[in-house]
């Protein structure tokens, strides 16, 4: 239901582009201000000042008219009017012209001058303002008709257009300056739009966030989204390659074992056990692939979670699974309140559990540490295993990467090389990062997730 007037028709006349709308928002107040100032000035200048100036001239005109009427004859009236007019700055002519009221169409103050002179000088019969620089008055006295003339500048302010020209020039100059500034502010938005449009068409255009803080924030969010989508596409390709590569070996062994089975002889128990191990390895690899795909696509709502009880439950579950892991809360040393972070609990729990599984797989004991700074929270998992060389740490966080020389796979296989990749992706999705370093406490690997404190 429509309430009030419908202004939807105005949309047809509004600019479509952001630059045009921003220019309209900028220019409309400027021109409105100039219009208001101009109207106010005109009213003050052409009415108030003109009335005051006309009122100052009117007593002299009235004095001349009274003196001419009091003269005993026409000759004396002409002589007296000429002499007084010369003294007061008026041109006296008797008998004068047969004048009529006249005024130029653009003479804004002429109406005010004529009205004031008629009201203040009783003998005025006509006000001729056909000459913009001269005022001629037709008066009727006891000795006949006569005229008085004087410069228009005595009753109207001169050069009133100067202020209007100054206002217009200043408004135009400020409009140009504001337009240049507005163009610089809108350029990053246009660049962001082009980069997003190109990415939608499958092209990656170099883009660096710039401009105001809000535009820079939107640009950084776009770059982060684009990088995340690129990583996701790369991970999907690697996952398909990894599935075909990792499943080929156990499938080949299974096919070979099945081809060697004879219907006349019962299968060997050792051979059955080997096939069961192959099936178990394939099941574990497929589950790892599915877990990685599920975590990469996780897009649930974030919650504000108190980390201390959250991590304590993870450690308790690890103990129940038989893992040798110690829980160390370094935030209690300063007596700080329970630190909290905005995260998706299921995704973060799987990431930390993957780090714990990696730690206990490659070492004999592990530690889960929680520390904090004024702006960040750090969740670190350390082990006493062989660690990862510094030059291989970046590669270790890629999906399906196995650094067998640094951290050899356990006997029996089953590791798909996704634990660190899932943790790194989870950290990035929470606005943090995963860093690998050498453990200062156990000597092995230290995998640290850094989050923003709440």
């Amino acid at each position: 239901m429509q309430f009030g007037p419908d202004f939807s028709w105005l949309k047809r006349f509004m600019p479509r582009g952001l630059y045009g709308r921003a220019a309209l928002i900028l220019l409309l107040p400027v021109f409105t201000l100039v219009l208001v100032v101009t109207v106010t000035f005109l009213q003050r200048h052409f009415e108030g000042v003109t009335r005051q100036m006309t009122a100052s001239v009117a007593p002299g005109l009235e004095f001349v008219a009274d003196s001419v009427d009091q003269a005993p004859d026409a000759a004396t009236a002409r002589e007296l009017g000429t002499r007084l007019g010369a003294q007061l700055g008026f041109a006296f002519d008797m008998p004068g012209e047969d004048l009529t009221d006249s005024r130029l169409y653009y003479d804004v103050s002429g109406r005010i001058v004529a009205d004031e002179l008629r009201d203040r000088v009783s003998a005025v019969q006509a006000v001729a303002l056909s000459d913009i620089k001269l005022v001629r008055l037709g008066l009727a006295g006891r000795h006949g008709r006569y005229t008085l003339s004087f410069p228009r500048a005595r009753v109207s302010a001169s050069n009133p257009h100067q202020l209007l020209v100054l206002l217009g020039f200043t408004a135009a100059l400020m409009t140009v300056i504001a337009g240049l500034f507005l163009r610089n502010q809108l350029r990053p938005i246009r660049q962001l739009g082009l980069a997003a449009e190109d990415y939608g068409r499958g092209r990656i255009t170099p883009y660096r966030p710039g401009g105001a803080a809000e535009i820079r924030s939107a640009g950084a969010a776009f770059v982060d989204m684009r990088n995340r989508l690129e990583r996701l596409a790369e991970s999907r390709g690697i996952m398909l390659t990894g599935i075909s590569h990792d499943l080929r070996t156990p499938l080949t062994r299974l096919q070979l074992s099945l081809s060697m089975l004879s219907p006349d002889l019962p299968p060997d128990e050792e051979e059955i056990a080997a096939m069961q191990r192959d099936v178990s390895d394939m099941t574990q690899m497929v589950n790892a692939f599915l877990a990685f795909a599920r975590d990469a696509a996780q897009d649930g709502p974030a919650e504000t979670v108190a980390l201390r009880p959250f991590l304590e439950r993870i450690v308790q579950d690890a103990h129940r699974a038989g893992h040798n892991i110690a829980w160390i809360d370094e935030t209690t040393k300063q007596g700080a309140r329970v630190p909290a972070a905005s995260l998706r609990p299921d995704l973060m729990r799987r990431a930390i559990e993957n780090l714990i599984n990696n730690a206990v797989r490659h070492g004999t004991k592990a530690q889960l540490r929680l520390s904090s700074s004024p702006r960040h929270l750090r969740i670190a998992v350390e082990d006493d295993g062989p660690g990862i060389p510094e030059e291989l740490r970046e590669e270790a966080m890629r999906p399906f990467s196995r650094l067998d020389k640094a951290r050899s796979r356990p006997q029996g296989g089953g590791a798909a090389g996704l634990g660190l990749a899932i943790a790194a992706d989870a950290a990035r999705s929470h606005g943090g990062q995963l860093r690998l370093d050498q453990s200062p406490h156990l000597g092995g690997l230290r995998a640290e997730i850094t989050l923003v404190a709440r």
Side-chain angles (χ1 to χ4, degrees):
M1 180 178 294
Q2 178 70 33
F3 294 97
D6 183 14
F7 296 102
S8 59
W9 57 272
L10 286 174
K11 294 182 179 179
R12 297 195 301 268
F13 304 97
M14 294 295 104
R16 298 290 183 180
L18 179 61
Y19 189 84
R21 294 187 178 186
L24 180 64
I25 294 174
L26 175 67
L27 297 180
L28 187 60
V30 172
F31 283 106
T32 301
L33 178 62
V34 171
L35 181 61
V36 171
V37 171
T38 302
V39 172
T40 304
F41 164 75
L42 290 176
Q43 183 179 4
R44 174 73 177 86
H45 187 82
F46 289 112
E47 291 187 13
V49 176
T50 300
R51 291 183 189 277
Q52 293 177 6
M53 296 178 69
T54 305
S56 65
V57 174
L61 296 172
E62 185 71 22
F63 176 71
V64 173
D66 290 344
S67 299
V68 169
D69 285 345
Q70 294 175 5
D73 52 42
T76 304
R78 184 183 303 106
E79 179 183 357
L80 183 61
T82 302
R83 179 168 54 84
L84 291 177
Q87 294 176 351
L88 295 176
F90 303 132
F92 181 83
D93 187 15
M94 185 177 184
E97 303 177 34
D98 187 12
L99 299 177
T100 58
D101 291 337
S102 61
R103 177 169 61 90
L104 298 175
Y105 70 93
Y106 58 85
D107 188 0
V108 181
S109 61
R111 178 184 56 81
I112 301 173
V113 172
D115 293 343
E116 286 291 319
L117 291 176
R118 289 180 182 278
D119 292 342
R120 295 180 181 274
V121 183
S122 58
V124 172
Q125 298 295 313
V127 180
L129 299 175
S130 56
D131 188 349
I132 193 64
K133 296 182 179 181
L134 185 66
V135 177
R136 293 187 298 167
L137 301 179
L139 298 92
R142 189 164 61 91
H143 302 289
R145 187 174 61 251
Y146 60 93
T147 61
L148 285 173
S149 304
F150 56 90
R152 177 67 179 271
R154 296 185 63 178
V155 292
S156 296
S158 60
N159 299 327
H161 62 281
Q162 290 182 351
L163 181 59
L164 301 180
V165 172
L166 181 61
L167 281 175
F169 176 76
T170 304
L173 178 62
M174 296 305 298
T175 300
V176 172
I177 295 175
L180 294 176
F181 177 78
L182 181 63
R183 182 180 179 182
N184 291 333
Q185 293 300 311
L186 294 180
R187 184 183 295 114
I189 300 179
R190 189 179 297 109
Q191 293 174 349
L192 175 59
L194 292 176
E197 184 178 358
D198 288 344
Y199 186 70
R201 295 175 178 176
R203 300 190 299 266
I204 298 180
T205 302
Y207 171 74
R208 186 178 66 179
E214 295 80 1
I215 303 175
R216 189 183 299 270
S217 176
F222 166 73
V223 172
D224 182 70
M225 179 197 69
R226 186 174 67 178
N227 293 338
R228 182 172 175 80
L229 290 176
E230 287 297 313
R231 289 194 303 268
L232 185 62
E234 181 184 2
S235 299
R236 292 298 178 267
I238 296 176
M239 182 175 68
L240 293 176
T241 304
I243 290 177
S244 61
H245 178 272
D246 291 346
L247 293 183
R248 185 181 296 116
T249 299
L251 282 174
T252 301
R253 289 199 301 263
L254 280 176
Q255 289 176 349
L256 182 60
S257 299
L258 290 174
S259 65
M260 296 179 64
L261 291 179
S262 173
D264 300 329
L265 297 176
D268 187 13
E269 294 183 1
E270 183 177 352
E271 188 174 358
I272 293 177
M275 288 189 291
Q276 289 176 343
R277 286 195 301 270
D278 288 337
V279 173
S280 177
D281 288 346
M282 288 190 296
T283 302
Q284 188 173 355
M285 283 187 287
V286 170
N287 290 336
F289 295 145
L290 294 177
F292 177 72
R294 181 178 63 251
D295 292 336
Q298 182 73 24
D299 196 22
E303 304 176 10
T304 301
V305 178
L307 286 181
R308 192 177 298 163
F310 176 72
L311 297 178
E312 287 176 351
R313 287 194 297 270
I314 295 178
V315 172
Q316 291 172 2
D317 293 341
H319 288 162
R320 293 172 54 193
H323 298 324
N324 182 14
I325 181 169
W327 159 242
I328 300 175
D329 185 5
E330 297 180 353
T331 61
T332 58
K333 297 179 180 179
Q334 295 83 16
R337 60 180 179 84
V338 178
S342 179
L343 50 85
R344 293 188 286 273
D346 293 339
L347 180 58
M348 184 57 64
R349 181 183 180 89
R350 282 195 293 272
I352 297 174
E353 288 178 347
N354 282 330
L355 295 180
I356 294 175
N357 292 333
N358 282 346
V360 298
R361 180 184 299 118
H362 300 286
T364 59
K365 57 183 178 179
Q367 293 178 351
L368 177 61
R369 291 177 174 269
L370 173 63
S371 58
S372 64
S373 64
R375 298 183 60 183
H376 296 94
L377 296 170
R378 295 179 176 86
I379 304 171
V381 177
E382 304 180 18
D383 61 56
D384 60 349
I388 298 178
E390 184 176 356
E391 65 273 11
L392 298 178
R393 289 170 186 167
E394 188 70 25
E395 181 182 353
M397 290 187 288
R398 297 177 182 174
F400 310 101
S401 176
R402 300 191 186 95
L403 308 179
D404 295 338
K405 295 181 181 179
R407 293 163 71 91
S408 59
R409 295 175 63 181
Q411 187 68 25
L418 291 172
L420 294 178
I422 292 175
D425 194 69
R428 282 191 295 264
S429 67
H430 287 86
Q433 61 177 335
L434 174 67
R435 293 186 297 181
L436 303 182
D437 203 350
Q438 184 177 0
S439 171
H441 305 95
L442 300 180
L445 180 69
R446 173 185 174 93
E448 180 182 88
I449 296 177
T450 304
L451 301 174
V452 179
R454 290 287 176 178

